[in-house]
Each structure stands twice: as C-alpha cells, then as structure tokens.
Amino acid sequence: MRKTLFCGAALAALILPAMAQAQSTGTVDAESDIVVSGSRAKPDVNGIQTPDTPKAKAVLTQELIERRTPGQTILDTINLVPGVNFTNSDPYGGSGGQLRIRGFDGNRISLTFDGIPLNDSGNYAIYSNQQLDPELIEQVNVNFGATDVDSPTASASGGTVNYRSVMPKDKLGATVAYSHGTNDMNRVFAKIDTGVFTSFGTKAWVSASEQRYDQFRGSGEINRQQYNAKLYQPIGSKGDFIAFGANYNQNRNSSYSNPTLANIRTKLGASVVPSTGVSADTPYTLDLNKAQYDAVFDDTSNAYLYDQSCSLPSASGVNGTSQNDRSSCGNAAGTAINPSNTGNFRINSRYTLSEKLVFTFDGAYSFTRANGGGSAVFAESNANATNSAGTAAATSVYTYQLQRLGAGTAAGVDINGDGDTLDYVRAYFPSNTRTQRFTAIAGLRYDIDADNAVRFAYTWDRARHRQTGEASQLDSTGNPYDVFSALDGEGSSAILDAAGNVVNKRNRLSYAILHQVSGEYRGSYFGDALKLTLGLRAPFFRRNLTNYCYTIPGNSSDGYCTSQTAAQVAANPTTATYGAPYKNRIKSYNAVLPNVGLTYAFTPNASIFASYAKGFSAPRTDNLYAFDDVKIAPVNEVKPEKTDSFDLGLRYSSRLIQAQLAGWYIHYDNRIISTLTTLEGGGTLTTDRNVGTVKSKGVDASLGITPIRNVSLYGFASYIDAKLQDDAVDPTTGAITAATAGKFVVETPKWQYGGRVQASFDPVSIGAQVKHVGKRYVTDVNDLIAAGYTTVDLDARFDLAFAGLDKTFFQLNVSNLFNERYFGNLSTGTSSASTTRYTFGAPRTVIGSVHFEF
C-alpha cells in the first residue's frame, strides 16, 4: 500500500534523494511510490525498465547510457524503446538528428531536462546536439502520447522525453575519460565530486568536456564544448532538499551537404531514379544497392558537397570596374555552418510543510544564441539590382525588395570599399535567434491518507524570442569574420545601408507565455492491486508578436523584411502591398486537457494498464508572421493541433522475465503541414496549414529475459499505422493542393524491431544491439519512399577492478558494425515535385575509450 512510502520521515529521507525520475520534482515525488512500494519487482534488464505506471512509459538508466558511444546524444540511446525512431546526422551526435515517436516529429514532443523545457520556444524544435553529456544523465524516460500533469509545454501533442542529471556523490572523487575514434574524433570528459563538505550535508559536482572530429563526408569539422555543475543541499530529515544546477553548451558545426533526389538522379541516371511516371499510385522507392550508394556517397565531382575553398572577386575590387560574386562561394563550407551557444541555470526543491503536505518548486533561466549560416549576393546600387521594369535582374541577388541599400537613390552603397557602387558582393546572411526564457513550476501534494493523495500545480513559462538576420562581409576566401554575423553591433564587417543601419532581412520580437494550472488525484485500492490517477491540465498560452520592419509579400513564410523607411515605401508604387510594422499582436490558445489512468495487478507478477490523455500543440511563431499581399494580414492562421490518446496494455514482471505488450490509438485533429497557398494578389507562398484529422494506431511490445545472472536478452517491436484522413485544401480557392487523404504520415516507419544482448563475465563484458527501421514515406502524398534499413552496434568493456582500479575500464564501441548503407534524416515535401533531401547514414565507426574513476 502507499503507506509504505509515507510511514515515516526516516524512510522518506532515504528514498527521495535517491530518486532520479526525469520529470519535475513534484512528479518525481508523486510517482516515487511506484518504485518503492508494492509486491512487484521493479522491471530492469541492464538499464532498461518498464515501470508499472498507468501511462505507457519506458525508462533507460545510466547502466545502459554509459555503454553507448561516448558523448552521444541521449536521443540516440532511446532508439531501443518501441515506437521511437531517432536518425542521427553523424556517428557522434554533434550534428543533430530527427526524432519520431509514434509518428509524431520532434516539434510535437516535449523534451525536458531536470523538469525544464528544452524545445525551441518559437518552432518547438529539438536540438539533439545540445543535450547534456551522457555521463551526467541518471536516467531518461519516454511518455507516449501523454504528458505529466505539470509538464511546462504548449507543444506536446505527441508525448514527452524527460531526463534528469545525476546526484552528487557522498565522497570526494573524480572521473576522467578520454575517447578516440574514426574521423579523428577526440573527446575528453572530466568530473569532480566534492563529496559532503559541510555539516549540513552539502555536496556538489562540476564537469567539463570537449569533443572535436571531422565530418565523415566532406571536410568540415564538428566542435562541441560543455560545462556543468550541480549543488545539492538536504534539508532536515524528511527527504527535503534544494538543488542548483548550471549548464553551458557551445557548438561550432560545419553542416553536411545532403543530395536531393535530382542530384542522385544526375549521378545514377533516369533509369535508376525516374524523372517521370512517379505518383501516389506508382511511388518510387529510393533503394540503392551497394555500388549505387557508394557512387553517390563518394561522388568524385563533389556536385553536392560544399566547396572547401573559394575566392571572391569583390574582395579585390577595382574602382570603376564591376566585380561579380554571383557565381562565387555560393556553395561554400565557410557559410554552411550551425553555431550555437546555449545554457541554463536551474533549481529543484522539495519542502515538507506538515505531515501530509509537501511543496515542490522547480525554476530555471535558459538562453540560446544560434543560426544556420547562409549567404546572399547584394547589388551595391539599385540600378544594378533592378532592370528597366523595376524587377529583379537576377534571382541570386538580394534586390531592393529585400534590402534597399541605396535607400531610394541610384548612388547605392560601396560595400567592398573599392570606391564605386558597381559590384555584386556576396555577404554572410544568417538568420540569428536569441532566446531568454524563465520557467517556474510550483506543486503542492496533500496525502489524504495512506492510499489517497491529491496534488495541484501551477506552471509559468515565459520566453523572449528575438529573430534577426544581419548581413556582414566575408573574407576573400568566403569565410565569415564572426559566426553570428553583425549580431552584436556594426563592427568592421557589418554591411550598412545608405542610412547607416545594419542590413537586416528580418527584425522581429515575440514572447511565448504559458500559464498553466493542473490537478491530479492518485489512489490505491484493494491492497495496492488497483492504482488510479485522474488529472486535468489547463494551459493558457499566448504569443505576443512584434515586427519592426515592412514585410515583403510572397517572399517567404518567414515574412522577410525590407530596410526601407515608411516614407520610401509610400513613395515607391512597387511596394504598395508591403506589410506595415506592428507591435504586440497577440494570439491566444487555451485548452482543457484531461487524463486518466489505472493499473491493476491480477497476480503478484502480472498487471494490466490503461490510460487516456488529451494533448495540445499551439501554432509556431514563423507561421504567424507570413501574410497575404492583398489582405495585408497573416496567411492561413492555423488552428492548434489536438490529440486524444488511448493506451491499453499488459505487463509481466519476475526475476526471469520483464515483458510489456500495449495497443494504442491516437485521434489527431488539425494536423499542420506545409503546402503552397494562393495569395489573393495572385502569388503563391509555402506556408503551414491544417489538413484535418490523422488517425494512428499501433502495437508496442518488449521482452527482457535474464536466463542466468551474467546474461541478459532484450527485444522490442512496434507496428504503426498513421494516416491522414483529409486532403490539403487551399483556403483561398477551395482547390485541393495535396491529395493527402488516406496517405501515411511522412518519415514514420510502419515496422520497427530489434534488441540487445549483453554478457558480463568479469573482467570482460560485451553487448550488441540491432535495430530494423522499415520503409518511410518522404512526401505527404506518398509518391516517394525511402527504403528500410538495419544497423548493428557493438560495445565491449574490460574492467580493471581485479587490479585494484575500481571503476576504471577500457571500452570499445563500434556503431553500424556491418557498414549498412542507408539514408537517415529525410527532408520531406508535399510531393515528388518538392525538393526533398536525403542524409547519408554514417558508415562503420570505431571508438576506443579509457575511463578512470577514483
């Protein structure tokens, strides 16, 4: 019964500091009875758990995490969970990747760290390469199709991934690890534990890591640095505490150049990759044999690799002569980069107010500075940028429409300093994003008696999202002087217009503000055989939107700017349909989201579980800035996505076997996809829109067996059927823009299966895991398919404890052991007429590590 958890302060003091569930402190506190009470053993097969909760959930612990590739993103580790598919951009995790859970992409999944949200506040994106060092993650859990009642999210229509950092140790100690691998990968990780250093039980740790390696394709480099700290202070003898944490992560990444289907067709010919006859009735499956794949991968012409060196004619400009950069450095590696600086400061705490009343509080300040690189060509004068009709002279030139460098005069601006305004100058032109975010989660739990409890929570999350696009000069070889362009002011490399302002392709400010109230009841009945949860979450979310510039119609769903003043816009008839600047345009989205769940143990080892949860995802920032050139209003403001998620399953847990079988169904309203919109002025714009209902159903299964003490076996399988129910329709004309009714959700494999085997015979332990990912559709109308693939990973460890070096070992990791050729990340589109891109899966990669701990 639950009274086993609350029978005394001494027991609570032992339990709660050791808890490492990866949600908010309030949810950890409420769910701790799941771990420590009841007659059923906790499921655990070498770090893989299936906790006996009402929700469909999976948990992976440090025991498994530490055996994966050193420095690898935690999202790669959860690939062993049924229904989850993560595709990595490289073998070490530093270049990002794409996550899918039950057909939902990463933007629809809430990711939290010590209870704090990590999704981008504007577009909800998950940046897998910015996650905590794996040595510092105690455990990670995945909620399928449901959130915790106090989850700080307005986007989790598809579930949550939560992880929590390790506790400081009681004794003074240090950990140092060094890894070296394929592609000249070198990584160093170091952590120092202070041990308990005050009479009050205070303890802490600090850590640092750096990883650097070459791209496995092309000649770019990935560099990642991370610094972390955590301090833990117990309070009294009832399990109360306060913990402070800090994280800073810096990535300096060269981007991979991924081929389009047209690139692959050019290399292999139309007989292999057809250019005609592809439709939803006769789809084309990209399934290359070894020779074809290698020919594309090792393309000697470098047709779709970034140029590693280039030279700009404008850099050595000659007065009176026109230098032209339009054909120079447009595909340069120097501007194909993805720099980011991210970090946070966190607090987690728990306070016993009375014998039955517990208060918890989590809070954080988070910050982000990042861009995705990019360049553009500027005409130094309006006369060069336009023809006699006043339209763009070349599509590769950022014309007066985007940036009126000459500020309404033909004189223009001398960008390269050669004394004339005759040149076409290539500039570094990234889209910079800066975010400052404050989060607070307060919870109150009241224990009615030993078997019944209620809790209430209030969540506040406020993100300031500043989006700009400053232009700056490149050096003579096409490299930027500063990876964040002119973000920090003019500087010597900033490109100015005639009025002296930094040229800026977007200039906007938005606030994403979430207020959320929630409540939950938890009860145990019939001697703990039946456990019931009833919850209600009510998010009140709004976006405050400010655009400081005139917006160009039909240019982009981002709503790009002109640098013209109001007077210049009014005087120029070609700009009559520009969208005027505005301040504090508010869009609000509210929902009431119930959830209910139960578990019933009909034998000491077997139980059933069932749950229902309603999900919600508000529209993203960028879509709200796009506008129609006649209405001068936002284009197709989409409705929030909403889901109804149902799970029903069976669990079995004994010393020998841990098993789970679950069936699920998700009804998904107002799914958002990107398609062409016809503007009232006659133009078109690619923007987001609702396509109605998606119905998803499937089965997840996992089985863990420990036949003998030293050997464990784990297998999993999942089947997903996720289909759109409606066609995409142009809201202006009523015409069908994409025949999506009955089509399978993109990038979602119908079948996934795999497993892991681990054998430990001191001092040697060996583990191997395999995963098969079925075919995935690349387009919304299902006329392009990426073939399925199977990868195998190996890990082996030699422990030196026998030599008196406790917790010191050598480790070997091999990813993609059999060198499978496949495409991982997919850049999807509406149909085969769209530009879809295919990311090469990383080839066989070998990593050796030495780990010292004392």
Side-chain angles (χ1 to χ4, degrees):
M1 298 175 67
R2 294 182 73 251
K3 62 187 177 185
T4 60
L5 177 65
F6 307 114
C7 64
L11 180 60
L14 290 173
I15 294 168
L16 291 170
M19 284 299 300
Q21 297 284 348
Q23 303 109 316
S24 70
T25 303
T27 298
V28 171
D29 190 49
E31 289 193 349
S32 56
D33 61 327
I34 294 168
V35 176
V36 301
S37 70
S39 59
R40 299 179 301 281
K42 179 177 67 174
D44 191 336
V45 178
N46 284 328
I48 304 172
Q49 300 178 4
T50 51
D52 197 14
T53 66
K55 298 172 184 175
K57 179 182 292 189
V59 176
L60 305 179
T61 70
Q62 177 64 208
E63 185 178 2
L64 174 64
I65 296 169
E66 69 176 4
R67 288 186 172 270
R68 300 293 292 153
T69 299
Q72 184 59 264
T73 173
I74 189 63
L75 298 183
D76 185 78
T77 303
I78 65 173
N79 250 334
L80 280 176
V81 174
V84 175
N85 188 44
F86 177 73
T87 51
N88 228 335
S89 298
D90 69 39
Y92 300 113
S95 297
Q98 295 177 339
L99 176 68
R100 285 269 169 177
I101 298 180
R102 289 185 174 178
F104 290 87
D105 61 3
N107 295 357
R108 295 173 169 94
I109 297 162
S110 173
L111 177 65
T112 64
F113 162 29
D114 283 349
I116 303 306
L118 295 177
N119 296 72
D120 185 281
S121 60
N123 61 13
Y124 309 131
I126 289 174
Y127 302 106
S128 61
N129 59 342
Q130 299 170 6
Q131 304 311 305
L132 186 66
D133 282 327
E135 294 91 343
L136 304 175
I137 298 176
E138 181 66 27
Q139 67 174 218
V140 55
N141 71 48
V142 181
N143 281 338
F144 301 98
T147 68
D148 296 315
V149 74
D150 58 356
S151 292
T153 176
S155 65
S157 55
T160 65
V161 177
N162 316 285
Y163 65 85
R164 183 169 287 271
S165 57
V166 297
M167 286 283 293
K169 296 180 180 179
D170 291 335
K171 294 183 179 180
L172 175 67
T175 302
V176 178
Y178 170 72
S179 302
H180 179 73
T182 307
N183 305 123
D184 196 26
M185 191 280 288
N186 291 279
R187 179 177 185 267
V188 176
F189 170 85
K191 171 173 167 277
I192 298 175
D193 273 276
T194 65
V196 176
F197 61 90
T198 72
S199 60
F200 305 105
T202 313
K203 53 187 177 180
W205 56 255
V206 294
S207 74
S209 69
E210 181 172 13
Q211 185 177 42
R212 189 183 297 269
Y213 57 94
D214 298 328
Q215 291 182 324
F216 69 84
R217 182 176 176 275
S219 54
E221 184 181 72
I222 314 296
N223 176 242
R224 177 174 181 253
Q225 300 178 46
Q226 190 172 124
Y227 306 90
N228 291 280
K230 186 172 184 176
L231 182 145
Y232 178 85
Q233 175 63 62
I235 302 173
S237 59
K238 297 183 178 180
D240 296 339
F241 68 92
I242 185 169
F244 299 95
N247 165 267
Y248 176 74
N249 186 88
Q250 178 176 290
N251 283 70
R252 295 294 182 265
N253 293 354
S254 299
S255 299
Y256 286 94
S257 181
N258 302 313
T260 65
L261 195 66
N263 294 144
I264 299 173
R265 180 185 300 116
T266 299
K267 183 65 181 179
L268 301 179
S271 62
V272 177
V273 184
S275 57
T276 59
V278 176
S279 69
D281 295 326
T282 57
Y284 169 70
T285 300
L286 183 62
D287 186 10
L288 306 182
N289 61 36
K290 179 182 180 299
Q292 292 167 341
Y293 184 95
D294 290 347
V296 177
F297 184 93
D298 298 319
D299 180 32
T300 55
S301 66
N302 292 337
Y304 35 87
L305 284 175
Y306 290 120
D307 300 326
Q308 295 306 308
S309 63
C310 63
S311 103
L312 291 173
S314 67
S316 55
V318 179
N319 181 262
T321 303
S322 176
Q323 281 74 49
N324 189 345
D325 290 346
R326 280 181 287 185
S327 59
S328 303
C329 299
N331 192 46
T335 55
I337 56 176
N338 181 211
S340 65
N341 299 343
T342 60
N344 61 62
F345 301 93
R346 313 177 306 280
I347 179 175
N348 303 99
S349 59
R350 177 188 189 272
Y351 311 92
T352 299
L353 303 181
S354 73
E355 210 173 285
K356 293 189 174 185
L357 195 62
V358 174
F359 174 75
T360 59
F361 177 79
D362 294 341
Y365 165 72
S366 309
F367 62 89
T368 298
R369 168 182 284 217
N371 69 53
S375 71
V377 174
F378 291 92
E380 289 186 322
S381 75
N382 295 329
N384 286 350
T386 61
N387 58 27
S388 58
T391 57
T395 57
S396 62
V397 177
Y398 262 75
T399 68
Y400 75 98
Q401 274 196 312
L402 288 179
Q403 308 295 341
R404 197 175 184 88
L405 292 169
T409 69
V413 173
D414 180 12
I415 298 175
N416 62 351
D418 67 352
D420 64 37
T421 57
L422 303 174
D423 308 319
Y424 296 91
V425 179
R426 184 169 294 280
Y428 183 47
F429 211 26
S431 296
N432 283 308
T433 295
R434 288 163 289 167
T435 301
Q436 296 187 69
R437 189 172 192 172
F438 295 90
T439 305
I441 307 170
L444 196 64
R445 192 195 76 230
Y446 178 73
D447 302 323
I448 301 170
D449 55 35
D451 296 309
N452 299 274
V454 292
R455 67 179 182 122
F456 304 93
Y458 169 71
T459 299
W460 174 74
D461 186 44
R462 179 184 184 272
R464 182 184 189 273
H465 200 62
R466 189 74 168 94
Q467 295 176 293
T468 56
E470 296 83 358
S472 62
Q473 296 185 52
L474 297 167
D475 66 19
S476 61
T477 59
N479 290 303
Y481 290 98
D482 188 312
V483 294
F484 292 110
S485 193
L487 181 60
D488 295 313
E490 297 180 8
S492 60
S493 65
I495 293 178
L496 309 181
D497 64 15
N501 302 310
V502 176
V503 172
N504 201 342
K505 67 181 173 185
R506 62 178 187 172
N507 188 6
R508 63 203 197 199
L509 170 67
S510 63
Y511 290 88
I513 303 171
L514 172 69
H515 295 274
Q516 178 177 278
V517 292
S518 57
E520 185 179 60
Y521 163 77
R522 291 174 180 261
S524 296
Y525 304 90
F526 310 117
D528 262 356
L530 174 65
K531 294 185 178 181
L532 176 69
T533 63
L534 301 172
L536 189 68
R537 182 167 70 96
F540 300 87
F541 182 72
R542 76 174 187 268
R543 292 194 183 278
N544 293 4
L545 308 171
T546 295
N547 198 350
Y548 294 104
C549 61
Y550 280 86
T551 310
I552 303 160
N555 173 265
S556 167
S557 59
D558 283 337
Y560 281 153
C561 298
T562 176
S563 60
Q564 291 171 294
T565 65
Q568 291 164 348
V569 169
N572 191 335
T574 65
T575 64
T577 58
Y578 279 24
Y582 53 83
K583 290 186 177 180
N584 295 325
R585 184 164 65 87
I586 295 176
K587 296 299 297 179
S588 298
Y589 309 94
N590 307 319
V592 177
L593 309 173
N595 65 78
V596 59
L598 64 86
T599 62
Y600 179 71
F602 53 88
T603 76
N605 300 109
S607 64
I608 60 172
F609 67 93
S611 68
Y612 162 75
K614 195 169 190 66
F616 165 81
S617 183
R620 304 162 194 174
T621 299
D622 284 350
N623 177 261
L624 300 176
Y625 282 102
F627 76 100
D628 189 292
D629 57 349
V630 170
K631 290 182 178 179
I632 313 298
V635 173
N636 186 32
E637 291 188 14
V638 297
K639 300 176 182 178
E641 299 176 334
K642 293 186 178 181
T643 58
D644 292 280
S645 179
F646 302 85
D647 277 87
L648 177 64
L650 175 68
R651 296 189 182 106
Y652 181 86
S653 177
S654 70
R655 293 182 179 273
L656 178 65
I657 298 173
Q658 313 290 341
Q660 178 172 286
L661 177 66
W664 56 270
Y665 172 78
I666 300 176
H667 183 94
Y668 184 1
D669 284 326
N670 300 328
R671 177 178 168 84
I672 298 172
I673 66 170
S674 294
T675 61
L676 282 176
T677 293
T678 301
L679 301 178
E680 289 194 1
T684 60
L685 178 67
T686 298
T687 186
D688 290 348
R689 69 159 45 117
N690 299 112
V691 291
T693 301
V694 177
K695 293 182 179 179
S696 304
K697 56 183 178 294
V699 178
D700 297 331
S702 63
L703 174 65
I705 304 175
T706 309
I708 60 175
R709 179 182 178 184
N710 305 94
V711 176
S712 66
L713 305 171
Y714 169 79
F716 69 92
S718 64
Y719 168 80
I720 299 175
D721 182 21
K723 292 181 179 178
L724 286 77
Q725 303 299 303
D726 304 292
D727 290 324
V729 177
D730 189 315
T732 302
T733 66
I736 294 175
T737 59
T740 54
K743 306 305 181 186
F744 210 89
V745 172
V746 295
E747 211 180 338
T748 301
K750 181 178 290 188
W751 285 99
Q752 295 184 83
Y753 49 84
R756 176 176 173 84
V757 57
Q758 184 171 317
S760 302
F761 296 94
D762 289 337
V764 177
S765 60
I766 298 176
Q769 59 191 55
V770 58
K771 180 169 184 178
H772 173 77
V773 176
K775 70 177 186 180
R776 295 165 293 159
Y777 288 100
V778 188
T779 58
D780 292 310
V781 300
N782 291 181
D783 57 357
L784 292 180
I785 301 170
Y789 61 92
T790 303
T791 55
V792 178
D793 298 337
L794 175 73
D795 57 87
R797 180 177 294 184
F798 184 77
D799 200 310
L800 298 179
F802 71 91
L805 299 174
D806 193 26
K807 298 181 181 179
T808 297
F809 55 83
F810 296 102
Q811 183 165 301
L812 174 71
N813 289 87
V814 184
S815 60
N816 196 3
L817 178 65
F818 297 112
N819 206 25
E820 174 83 338
R821 276 92 167 160
Y822 68 99
F823 293 103
N825 300 340
L826 303 175
S827 177
T828 61
T830 304
S831 70
S832 57
S834 309
T835 299
T836 56
R837 292 187 179 272
Y838 303 80
T839 300
F840 293 98
R844 181 189 299 115
T845 303
V846 181
I847 309 101
S849 306
V850 57
H851 175 104
F852 300 95
E853 189 170 342
F854 51 88

